[in-house]
């Protein structure tokens, strides 16, 4: 390009004027002229004096530079001028920008700059001063970290300063834009920072976020309207929960222009940390005067990493504290609101989190919303799953929408339908759960039957009271009794009566091998229930609330303390079920609004249980059995279905075995007939 050739030859002429024929410069410049500029230089005399020859080289370089009188039509010149004007760069800053841009764009220009600096006779600052016609003091001031060239992101630190003699460079994406043939600054901006694709989700799909989503929308609206600086909204959650999609929906709700920053370099490859930082600064200043733009910085966990992309020390304090301080200043002063997304905040530096204006945890959608999302995904991907089947699968699989969409695409590609879709879903669930298939959301085999409940209080009365619109929501239940007596089933039924979604946690879901992990899982369970307005059910609660007087390890005490603290302050209904109420810590007594014992079926209830499960009159000998529960009948009914049996005597024998197998039931000693 004409601009590169003209400025390179002018630099040669300027440097040649400063140095004589005995310098190292006199050896590198003629070689560059001949090899890179394709111009024949006069031969160097073998014996001094060589002053006349050096004058010829100087005149040749100046003459060749003057051949390119007008470079105003050069694409690079036009775009550098546009960008400099947009950013309000001074003449000196524009010259520095041009030098580093040409060094990145042109191998010949890079070879010239490096050859001059490598002689050791010209420092990088001195070379920039010669190129721009300014003093070295002025150049140093323009290259300071607080000066526009760096704060704007026009220049960034060299990727490998130990190998590169020049301390700065222009980012890849900016260089690509400089070379692009566009008609206006708007086209240049669109090339640098394309608009994010339109969202596929709807605002209602994020209903589970509740008032937090509304607050994020309100905050962003007022920030854009007022032009307030330093607005940062952090969205965090496991992969696939729709963080990026929510950003798109949020921008659409506000009529905002969402621009993605630092996703790829100009080749579509992974950008370096320096590239992403530079682009963030560049975009912040490029859109600084706009009131309709929001920036999206996706997957930002690598931004404060160790620079090697290892991902091991993400967001932990770095040895290069200057970079951390610099980044914190960016967060405090960015003139355009930024939406940040990350998969985890566990290793986030507290200084980073403190500078977030608002943080929002993204969770997988709840059953009703999840079902609607799955149906819309099926319509778009055209897998053709029956609506009822899809609804049942959605309710049973609390997977993020992104994983569901991927499973649908695989099923369609394999032409496998619902079978392949289900298989891929299960594989995805295992991967996201550490290689272990997660427990499915419990689904009752049959509707709740109050006639089969043997409780020590009137369950119907409790249901009637809590179902009233003005009934208090701060309720807690301890449901205790033998296994199979209907504790968990009634808890889920009660949630339906109160029109609340259910979050059910087993002890295995919460107990962690890591110190403090169980406490974190307990806190997250309560926080999720509160955010989703759900009833929280803890099965096997005696594992979480064991009597602290028998504790041998400190973590056993802190785990119970964590549970008790959350139980005390939780504003929504929650239920603890246990088979061993005597093992609970005494402090749980005052934490429960209701304590309900579920017991064995009475002799009067047994015929009803038989008729309900087997559809036939109960035999006379049924009344001789004791210690039976609704769960026993359900278990035997499933067993008979598998065996293809409906003989009353065989059913009765199986129920008798259920009785005999129960712990504490007396058995005869010796051989029976």
């Amino acid at each position: 390009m004409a601009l590169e050739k003209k400025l390179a030859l002018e630099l040669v002429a300027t440097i040649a004027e400063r140095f004589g024929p005995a310098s190292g410069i006199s050896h590198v410049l003629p070689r560059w002229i001949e090899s890179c500029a394709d111009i024949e230089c006069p031969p160097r005399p073998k014996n001094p004096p060589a002053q006349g020859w050096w004058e010829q080289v100087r005149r040749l370089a100046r003459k060749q530079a003057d051949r390119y009188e007008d470079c105003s039509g050069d694409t690079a010149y036009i775009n550098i001028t546009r960008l400099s004007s947009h950013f309000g760069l001074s003449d000196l800053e524009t010259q520095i920008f041009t030098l580093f841009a040409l060094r990145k764009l042109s191998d010949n220009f890079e070879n010239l700059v490096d050859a001059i600096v490598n002689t050791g006779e010209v420092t990088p600052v001195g070379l920039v001063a010669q190129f721009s016609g300014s003093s070295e003091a002025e150049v140093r001031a323009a290259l300071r970290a607080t000066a526009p060239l760096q704060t704007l992101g026009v220049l960034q630190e060299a990727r490998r300063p130990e190998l590169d003699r020049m301390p700065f460079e222009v980012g890849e994406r900016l260089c690509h834009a400089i070379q692009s043939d566009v008609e206006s600054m708007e086209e240049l901006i669109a090339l640098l920072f394309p608009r994010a694709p339109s969202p596929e989700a709807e605002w209602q799909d994020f209903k589970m976020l509740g008032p937090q989503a509304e607050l994020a929308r309100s905050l962003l609206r007022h920030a854009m309207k007022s032009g307030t600086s330093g607005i940062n909204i952090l969205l965090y959650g496991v992969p696939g929960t729709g963080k990026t999609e929510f950003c798109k929906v949020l921008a659409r709700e506000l009529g905002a222009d969402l621009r993605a920053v630092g996703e790829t370099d100009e080749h579509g490859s992974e950008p370096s940390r320096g590239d992403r930082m530079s682009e963030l600064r560049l975009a912040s200043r490029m859109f600084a005067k706009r009131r309709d733009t929001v920036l999206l910085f996706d997957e930002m966990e690598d931004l404060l990493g160790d620079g090697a992309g290892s991902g091991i020390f993400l967001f932990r304090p770095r040895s290069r504290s200057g970079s951390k301080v610099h980044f914190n200043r960016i967060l405090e002063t960015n003139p355009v609101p930024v939406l940040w997304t990350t998969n985890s905040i566990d290793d986030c530096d507290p200084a980073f989190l403190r500078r977030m204006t608002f943080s929002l945890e993204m969770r997988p959608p709840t059953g009703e919303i999840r079902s609607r999302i799955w149906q819309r995904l099926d319509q778009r991907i055209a897998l053709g799953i029956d609506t009822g089947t899809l609804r049942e699968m959605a309710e049973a699989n609390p997977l993020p929408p992104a994983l569901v969409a991927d499973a649908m695409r695989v099923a369609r590609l394999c032409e496998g339908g619902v079978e392949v879709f289900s298989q891929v879903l299960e594989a995805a669930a295992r991967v996201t759960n550490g290689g272990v298939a997660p427990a499915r959301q419990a689904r009752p085999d049959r509707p709740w039957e109050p006639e089969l409940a043997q409780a020590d209080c009137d369950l119907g009365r409790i249901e009637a009271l809590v179902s009233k619109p003005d009934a208090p929501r701060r309720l807690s239940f301890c449901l205790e009794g033998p296994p199979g007596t209907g504790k968990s089933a009634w808890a889920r039924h009660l949630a339906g009566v109160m029109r609340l979604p259910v979050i059910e946690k087993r002890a295995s879901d919460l107990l962690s091998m890591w110190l403090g992990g169980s406490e974190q899982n307990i806190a997250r369970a309560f926080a999720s229930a509160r955010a989703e307005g759900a009833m929280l059910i803890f099965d096997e609660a005696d594992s979480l609330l064991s009597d602290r007087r028998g504790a041998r390890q400190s973590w056993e005490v802190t785990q119970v303390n964590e549970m008790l603290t959350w139980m005390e302050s939780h504003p929504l209904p929650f239920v603890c079920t246990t088979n061993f109420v005597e093992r609970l810590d005494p402090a749980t007594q005052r934490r429960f609004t209701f304590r309900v014992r579920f017991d064995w079926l009475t002799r009067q209830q047994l015929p009803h249980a038989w008729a309900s499960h087997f559809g036939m009159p109960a035999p006379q000998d049924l009344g001789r059995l004791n210690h039976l529960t609704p769960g026993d009948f359900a278990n035997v009914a499933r067993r008979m279905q598998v065996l293809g049996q409906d003989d009353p005597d065989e059913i009765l024998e199986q129920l008798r075995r259920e009785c005999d197998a129960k712990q504490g039931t007396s058995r005869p000693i010796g051989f029976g007939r």
Side-chain angles (χ1 to χ4, degrees):
M1 55 186 168
L3 180 65
E4 171 258 325
K5 292 180 180 179
K6 175 180 176 60
L7 296 182
L9 289 167
E10 285 185 349
L11 178 60
V12 169
T14 301
I15 296 294
E17 288 292 338
R18 180 180 174 188
F19 293 89
S23 64
I25 292 291
S26 69
H27 290 273
V28 300
L29 293 187
R31 285 201 296 267
W32 182 88
I33 292 174
E34 290 187 337
S35 63
C36 297
D38 199 20
I39 301 171
E40 186 176 354
C41 282
R44 184 185 187 96
K46 295 182 180 180
N47 300 313
Q51 188 63 40
W53 163 80
W54 188 234
E55 288 293 339
Q56 291 179 353
V57 173
R58 290 171 173 171
R59 287 194 299 270
L60 177 63
R62 181 63 62 187
K63 179 180 178 181
Q64 293 298 324
D66 291 342
R67 288 177 54 194
Y68 303 95
E69 294 182 358
D70 185 13
C71 296
S72 59
D74 188 276
T75 298
Y77 177 85
I78 294 172
N79 288 331
I80 289 174
T81 302
R82 283 172 175 159
L83 289 166
S84 298
S85 176
H86 182 82
F87 289 129
L89 298 181
S90 66
D91 290 341
L92 171 58
E93 290 163 345
T94 301
Q95 289 289 327
I96 296 174
F97 177 26
T98 302
L99 168 65
F100 284 100
L102 292 180
R103 181 173 180 267
K104 192 66 172 285
L105 294 173
S106 167
D107 290 340
N108 286 343
F109 199 91
E110 181 183 19
N111 290 337
L112 173 61
V113 170
D114 291 352
I116 294 173
V117 174
N118 285 337
T119 64
E121 296 174 343
V122 181
T123 64
V125 171
L127 185 141
V128 175
Q130 291 296 316
F131 179 85
S132 61
S134 305
S135 69
E136 293 190 12
E138 291 173 320
V139 170
R140 288 193 183 91
L143 291 175
R144 284 201 305 261
T146 56
L149 286 172
Q150 286 202 65
T151 58
L152 291 171
V154 174
L155 295 184
Q156 64 186 53
E157 292 182 3
R159 296 190 185 186
R160 297 189 298 174
E162 70 280 0
L163 301 177
D164 198 336
R165 295 295 297 274
M166 298 298 287
F168 301 104
E169 64 182 11
V170 176
E172 296 280 356
R173 187 182 295 274
L174 191 54
C175 284
H176 176 64
I178 289 171
Q179 297 179 95
S180 301
D181 188 9
V182 294
E183 296 296 328
S184 64
M185 186 63 199
E186 281 300 315
E187 289 187 29
L188 194 61
I189 291 175
L191 188 65
L192 279 166
F193 303 106
R195 290 180 174 86
S198 299
E200 297 174 346
E202 301 172 357
W203 183 257
Q204 293 78 5
D205 293 342
F206 300 97
K207 182 180 178 181
M208 67 283 186
L209 299 178
Q212 290 187 307
E214 295 293 340
L215 179 56
R217 181 166 60 177
S218 177
L219 171 62
L220 208 53
R221 178 187 294 113
H222 287 88
M224 292 168 58
K225 183 178 180 180
S226 63
T228 304
S229 61
I231 300 297
N232 300 280
I233 298 178
L234 175 63
L235 308 172
Y236 62 96
V238 297
T241 47
K243 299 182 289 294
T244 304
E245 194 69 8
F246 177 73
C247 292
K248 297 176 185 177
V249 171
L250 182 59
R252 184 178 63 186
E253 286 287 306
L254 298 173
D257 197 7
L258 185 65
R259 305 276 181 159
V261 178
E263 292 187 342
T264 61
D265 62 18
E266 84 284 6
H267 303 298
S269 303
E270 181 183 5
S272 67
R273 176 184 179 276
D275 288 336
R276 301 194 82 192
M277 286 287 290
S278 179
E279 286 187 28
L280 175 61
R281 294 193 299 267
L282 191 66
S284 296
R285 305 304 167 181
M286 184 165 283
F287 298 106
K289 296 181 180 180
R290 299 197 176 188
R291 294 292 181 267
D292 63 346
T293 301
V294 178
L295 301 181
L296 168 61
F297 203 102
D298 221 345
E299 304 290 348
M300 53 76 169
E301 47 261 31
D302 64 330
L303 191 61
L304 293 182
D306 60 358
S310 65
I312 298 175
F313 302 103
L314 304 183
F315 289 92
R316 293 176 183 172
R318 309 176 64 210
S319 58
R320 294 168 55 196
S321 59
S323 296
K324 175 181 167 182
V325 171
H326 180 62
F327 181 69
N328 288 341
R329 296 296 174 265
I330 292 176
L331 293 176
E332 294 169 350
T333 61
N334 59 293
V336 182
V338 182
L339 302 177
W340 305 82
T341 76
T342 184
N343 296 330
S344 174
I345 60 171
D346 289 344
D347 290 325
C348 279
D349 191 310
F352 171 83
L353 296 177
R354 184 174 63 81
R355 287 167 173 81
M356 290 293 108
T357 315
F358 182 63
S359 299
L360 180 61
E361 181 182 8
M362 300 294 294
R363 297 174 301 277
T366 52
E368 178 186 351
I369 299 173
R370 189 163 62 242
S371 178
R372 186 175 69 244
I373 294 174
W374 284 36
Q375 291 180 37
R376 191 169 62 249
L377 289 174
D378 184 62
Q379 292 172 1
R380 188 175 77 244
I381 300 173
L383 186 58
I385 301 178
D386 174 75
T387 301
T389 302
L390 197 64
R391 184 182 300 112
E392 290 181 3
M393 295 180 70
E395 291 177 357
N397 292 276
L399 291 174
L403 293 180
V404 177
D406 289 342
M408 286 184 175
R409 294 188 187 98
V410 172
R412 184 182 179 189
L413 180 65
C414 298
E415 299 179 354
V418 67
E419 294 81 8
V420 174
F421 174 54
S422 179
Q423 186 177 354
V424 177
L425 274 184
E426 290 179 5
R430 284 195 300 271
V431 169
T432 57
N433 197 48
V436 179
R440 295 288 187 89
Q441 182 71 40
R443 293 177 56 83
D445 295 332
R446 51 198 304 114
W448 168 254
E449 297 178 82
E451 299 85 357
L452 299 184
Q454 177 57 22
D456 62 356
C457 64
D458 188 345
L459 300 181
R461 183 186 178 195
I462 294 177
E463 293 170 17
L465 292 173
V466 300
S467 63
K468 294 180 179 179
D470 58 345
R473 280 295 185 259
R474 189 172 180 179
L475 301 169
S476 55
F477 298 82
C478 176
L479 310 182
E480 56 104 354
T485 49
K487 301 182 294 297
S488 298
W490 185 70
R492 290 189 290 270
H493 169 72
L494 185 64
V497 169
M498 300 179 73
R499 294 177 293 278
L500 297 175
V502 171
I503 295 179
E504 193 164 353
K505 296 293 183 180
R506 300 166 178 82
S508 59
D509 298 328
L510 302 174
L511 298 179
S512 170
M513 63 181 291
W514 305 110
L515 188 63
S518 299
E519 290 85 344
Q520 291 182 1
N521 292 337
I522 291 169
R524 286 169 180 157
F526 277 100
S528 295
R530 183 172 183 173
E532 297 180 16
M535 176 181 283
L536 186 57
I537 301 176
F538 291 104
D539 282 327
E540 309 165 32
D542 46 280
S543 299
L544 304 169
L545 290 167
S546 299
D547 193 334
R548 288 169 292 181
R549 291 173 297 183
R552 297 182 178 181
Q553 304 292 336
S554 61
W555 58 265
E556 295 177 278
V557 175
T558 57
Q559 173 186 299
V560 175
N561 290 343
E562 186 75 16
M563 275 289 294
L564 293 173
T565 301
W566 279 99
M567 290 166 65
E568 184 75 22
S569 60
H570 191 57
L572 294 172
F574 71 90
V575 178
C576 290
T577 73
T578 178
N579 302 330
F580 306 101
V581 68
E582 66 278 2
R583 297 180 184 177
L584 296 184
D585 191 275
T588 61
Q589 289 280 351
R590 64 181 182 84
R591 258 70 173 198
F592 293 114
T593 313
F594 296 96
R595 299 177 67 93
V596 183
R597 176 171 176 81
F598 286 72
D599 220 325
W600 316 107
L601 292 171
T602 64
R603 182 167 297 182
Q604 292 73 25
Q605 289 174 309
L606 292 177
H608 181 83
W610 179 285
S612 176
H613 286 83
F614 305 114
M616 64 179 75
Q620 296 246 346
D621 289 345
L622 179 64
R624 298 180 180 180
L625 301 182
N626 51 23
H627 296 106
L628 283 176
T629 69
D632 295 329
F633 279 88
N635 189 32
V636 170
R638 286 192 294 269
R639 189 182 307 156
M640 293 297 98
Q641 184 178 10
V642 172
L643 296 174
Q645 290 267 358
D646 60 359
D647 180 52
D649 291 337
E650 181 62 26
I651 295 174
L652 189 63
E653 176 61 24
Q654 295 295 328
L655 286 172
R656 183 177 291 110
R657 291 184 179 181
E658 293 293 325
C659 288
D660 293 344
K662 295 184 186 299
Q663 182 179 0
T665 302
S666 60
R667 301 182 184 181
I669 300 175
F671 295 97
R673 294 188 178 183

